[in-house]
Each structure stands twice: as C-alpha cells, then as structure tokens.
Amino acid sequence: MQDRFINEVIDLLPNLRRYAISLTRQPDLADDLVQITVEKALKQSQQYDPTKKLAPWLLRILRNAWIDEMRRQSARGAHVHVDDTTAAVISDNAASPELRLEVRQTLEAIQTLPAGQRDVVVLVCVEGLTYREAADVLEIAIGTVMSRLARGRLALTAAVGITPTAATYADQTDDKTETPSQ
C-alpha cells in the first residue's frame, strides 16, 4: 500500500512542479514548495483516502504550504522577485519555434491573470482537474471556479490575440463540468 502511494506521488511530481511554478513564478522556490508538499504528504499519508484521486489532495497540500510560506514572508517583510520562468516550463526542444512562441505567450499571459483566475486556469486547463476537484483544492464554491475560469479564458484569448467564438468554450460542457448539486 505504502509503495503504491509513493509511486503515485512520484508520478505526480511534474504536475506538482508545474502548479508550484504558477504560484511562485520561480523554479527554485517551486522546487522547495514541491519538496515541502511531498514531505507533508508522506507524513500524512494515513490521512489520504485511497478511494479518491491523489492529485487534488497533493495540490491542496501544495497550495496550503504556499499560503503558509506567503504568511511567513509577509511577517518577515521579505520580497519575492519574479523571474521569467516560462523557459523552465518549456522542455520540448523538438517543438517548432512557432509552437514554442505560442506556448511562451500563453504562459506569460497566464502569469498576468489575477491570482484567483490564474489558480483556476492552471488547475483545470493545465492540471486537468474537474471543476469540483479545483473547488476542493482552492476551498471555494464550484460556481466561483466556473466564473473565474470563464473570465480567465476570456482574458487569455484576448492576451494571445484569439477572437473568442462559441467553439472556444465548448469544453465547458464536457465531463469536466459538474453542477453545484453534485
């Protein structure tokens, strides 16, 4: 049981790092945050319900660790310097220059979103969480997830020069959508 848990945590490390970079905007701080998350997850592994997905549980630990770190930093008065982290996220050297440019522009546009929208966009669009799972990770209502995601998507399409159409949001009716009563 414990070996399976550890293997699943290892498999989710890239997802944790991606989300950590979206929060911290610095690869070195993201790595520290992932390490803290894994340590907490291993210490609290008996609290994990194996009938549920592991990713939302880990992402919630990561987000709470980030909030704790931000509180500590604000109490100390330290500043976090924003570095250009998009180069660290793009790892496919075989991708065409146009694709790499589009990915870079999209990642930069995501970083300009307000924190609430950015969190939802990353969790749903990048990490593939359902609306319900994202709501649980962020401890907000599912309707709030849906409205922040809609506003975030609109802002992203405008930022990267895409004219939104009805097809742009067709995936909002796929299996990721869950009604508040579910």
Side-chain angles (χ1 to χ4, degrees):
M1 170 68 178
Q2 187 68 6
D3 288 339
R4 191 183 78 135
F5 177 81
I6 291 171
N7 287 335
E8 286 183 45
V9 170
I10 291 169
D11 290 343
L12 290 168
L13 287 175
N15 302 58
L16 293 173
R17 185 164 194 273
R18 245 188 336 262
Y19 185 50
I21 286 175
S22 79
L23 293 173
T24 65
R25 301 178 186 187
Q26 294 185 38
D28 56 333
L29 291 178
D31 291 340
D32 293 345
L33 189 56
V34 169
Q35 181 177 344
I36 291 167
T37 301
V38 171
E39 287 175 8
K40 287 183 177 192
L42 292 175
K43 287 178 185 173
Q44 301 170 3
S45 63
Q46 67 280 7
Q47 295 176 8
Y48 168 67
D49 179 359
T51 63
K52 296 186 178 183
K53 287 184 179 180
L54 181 60
W57 187 71
L58 290 173
L59 291 168
R60 183 180 219 164
I61 292 171
L62 188 141
R63 183 172 181 274
N64 288 340
W66 174 244
I67 290 169
D68 291 345
E69 180 60 28
M70 294 308 302
R71 286 181 184 145
R72 276 192 293 277
Q73 283 184 7
S74 74
R76 287 190 303 249
H79 297 288
V80 176
H81 299 286
V82 178
D83 290 330
D84 181 17
T85 61
T86 56
V89 178
I90 300 172
S91 61
D92 183 8
N93 293 331
S96 72
E98 295 85 11
L99 178 61
R100 291 175 62 202
L101 179 61
E102 288 175 11
V103 169
R104 180 179 297 273
Q105 288 174 334
T106 303
L107 292 172
E108 288 172 354
I110 288 172
Q111 293 304 321
T112 65
L113 292 174
Q117 290 177 18
R118 184 179 59 244
D119 287 347
V120 171
V121 167
V122 169
L123 289 173
V124 173
C125 298
V126 178
E127 298 303 330
L129 269 59
T130 65
Y131 294 3
R132 169 66 60 210
E133 291 168 340
D136 290 345
V137 168
L138 298 172
E139 298 175 325
I140 58 176
I142 194 168
T144 305
V145 167
M146 292 167 38
S147 65
R148 287 181 184 175
L149 183 61
R151 288 192 311 271
R153 284 177 171 165
L154 281 173
L156 285 176
T157 57
V160 296
I162 298 172
T163 304
T165 64
T168 305
Y169 304 102
D171 68 336
Q172 289 186 359
T173 60
D174 68 6
D175 62 343
K176 287 188 177 289
T177 306
E178 298 176 19
T179 61
S181 62
Q182 291 179 329

